[in-house]
């Protein structure tokens, strides 16, 4: 599956049931991993797929802030 980094707005996040921010999205627009603090972090996250990735779902924390 090819993932693409994309910025999910507040409106789209509400519709998708996720937190706003940078996400790794599937070709059909489904958020797969995120949110990430930056586009670069999303690209790195996509490259590390299979590792422990944040989901941005209720009750789960997002990634730590970049230093």
């Amino acid at each position: 599956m090819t993932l693409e980094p994309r910025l999910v707005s507040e409106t789209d996040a509400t519709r998708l049931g996720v937190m706003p921010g940078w996400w790794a999205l599937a070709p059909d627009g489904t958020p797969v991993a995120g949110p990430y603090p930056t586009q670069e972090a999303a690209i790195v996250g996509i490259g590390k797929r299979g590792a422990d990735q944040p989901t941005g779902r209720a009750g789960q924390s997002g990634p730590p802030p970049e230093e």
Side-chain angles (χ1 to χ4, degrees):
M1 167 183 353
T2 302
L3 300 176
E4 175 183 337
R6 190 170 307 157
L7 184 60
V8 175
S9 68
E10 286 273 345
T11 304
D12 289 337
T14 300
R15 179 178 55 81
L16 294 169
V18 297
M19 297 179 348
W22 283 96
W23 282 82
L25 269 68
D28 66 357
T30 303
V32 176
Y36 296 96
T38 64
Q39 181 180 20
E40 292 79 14
I43 292 169
V44 169
I46 289 169
K48 292 182 178 179
R49 258 327 260 159
D52 187 26
Q53 297 292 308
T55 65
R57 302 296 194 278
Q60 296 183 359
S61 62
E66 289 192 349
E67 296 183 19

